[in-house]
Amino acid sequence: MRRALAVLPVWAWLVGFVALPAVLIAVMAVSISADSVPPFRLGLSFEALAAVFSDPYYRDGFLFSLRVAALSAAACLVLGYPMALAIARSAPRHRRLLLLLVILPFWTGFLLRITAWIGILRDEGLLNAVLGALGLPAIRLLHTDAAMLIGMVYGYLPFMILPIEARLSAADRTLEQAAADLGASPARVFLSVTLPLSLPGVWAGLALVFVPVAGEYVIPDLLGGPGSLTIGRVIYEEFFQNNDWPQAAALALVLLLGLALPASLVRRR
């Protein structure tokens, strides 16, 4: 009885904020678009869902979003793993400070932090001012795919660092010492012992970055160019500009089901 009462708030949260919204999206996805308020009427139409797979505009949005998510997750892994390893191997008093620095950006609003990158990357911004002071030519970054990727990596890098660091900190370091005592080189110790022990954290970090980046809207809209057609921007256009709620719901439903796959794979690890 006590256990049931303890998990009751968790189930209430899952039902109210996960299951119920998903059901509403599914119902809306098979509804019929109409000139009313709200702009749809209940029914059973698979036209919006069929358009998700048949319309090249939507397919390109999904493919571009998945490519951006994969590149962002890979970049976060390349940058985040050494940082996580350094934090895990630091002294306990330093580790707390380093972890604080990793999560410190979360104390500021996400929109404000991404907007600050506009001042850094714009043509007359801080980056080009530094390049000019060094005698280097200015570069155009704002409203490009490169700027969007920079924003993605900046925004989601902590989600890669934290699970890897937690896994490395909990790993038994005597295994590494035993491998070194048996004559393994530092590179061999890392590849044979450290990396395998950290893989659960790596998979968790990849999922924590890939899943939200695939549906990201704010960063592509602020830093990306007109050609940065992510599925998040497509859903926004269908919902707020075209006022086609069933089509927007169909896109969101397919995105939700598609992103459930990497989450389920991580759960099996």
Side-chain angles (χ1 to χ4, degrees):
M1 185 65 180
R2 291 182 179 179
R3 184 176 181 180
L5 292 176
V7 299
L8 182 61
V10 177
W11 282 108
W13 189 91
L14 290 174
V15 171
F17 296 98
V18 179
L20 184 59
V23 171
L24 292 176
I25 290 175
V27 170
M28 196 184 304
V30 296
S31 297
I32 302 171
S33 183
D35 293 329
S36 59
V37 180
F40 69 91
R41 57 185 175 85
L42 296 179
L44 188 61
S45 172
F46 297 98
E47 182 179 351
L49 287 171
V52 173
F53 300 98
S54 61
D55 195 324
Y57 181 73
Y58 301 138
R59 290 202 309 267
D60 291 344
F62 274 110
L63 292 176
F64 184 77
S65 295
L66 294 177
R67 185 163 63 250
V68 169
L71 290 174
S72 300
C76 286
L77 178 60
V78 171
L79 295 175
Y81 196 101
M83 297 173 66
L85 183 60
I87 295 174
R89 296 294 183 263
S90 61
R93 65 179 184 278
H94 296 151
R95 186 182 308 159
R96 289 190 290 268
L97 176 60
L98 293 173
L99 287 174
L100 177 63
L101 294 176
V102 169
I103 65 175
L104 190 61
F106 290 105
W107 297 4
T108 307
F110 180 77
L111 183 61
L112 181 62
R113 290 188 283 121
I114 298 303
T115 304
W117 277 98
I118 298 178
I120 297 174
L121 299 177
R122 64 187 180 134
D123 294 344
E124 304 83 12
L126 179 62
L127 177 61
N128 281 327
V130 173
L131 293 176
L134 297 175
L136 299 174
I139 56 176
R140 184 181 182 277
L141 276 177
L142 189 59
H143 301 314
T144 64
D145 289 349
M148 180 181 60
L149 286 173
I150 291 173
M152 294 289 193
V153 173
Y154 165 77
Y156 291 98
L157 184 60
F159 293 98
M160 181 67 70
I161 296 175
L162 294 176
I164 297 177
E165 189 279 333
R167 187 68 184 182
L168 289 170
S169 297
D172 188 358
R173 293 200 62 187
T174 58
L175 297 175
E176 298 177 347
Q177 297 170 359
D181 292 340
L182 291 173
S185 64
R188 185 64 182 272
V189 171
F190 174 78
L191 294 175
S192 301
V193 180
T194 307
L195 183 59
L197 289 175
S198 66
L199 281 181
V202 171
W203 291 119
L206 288 173
L208 288 173
V209 174
F210 184 91
V211 171
V213 168
E216 179 63 51
Y217 165 75
V218 174
I219 296 176
D221 190 62
L222 293 178
L223 301 181
S228 302
L229 187 65
T230 61
I231 196 62
R233 298 180 76 174
V234 174
I235 293 174
Y236 178 89
E237 291 175 0
E238 292 292 347
F239 195 88
F240 291 102
Q241 297 179 9
N242 299 337
N243 211 31
D244 192 346
W245 288 20
Q247 188 62 65
L251 292 167
L253 181 62
V254 173
L255 178 64
L256 175 64
L257 295 176
L259 294 179
L261 178 60
S264 62
L265 291 177
V266 170
R267 191 170 180 266
R268 292 184 178 183
R269 294 287 175 179

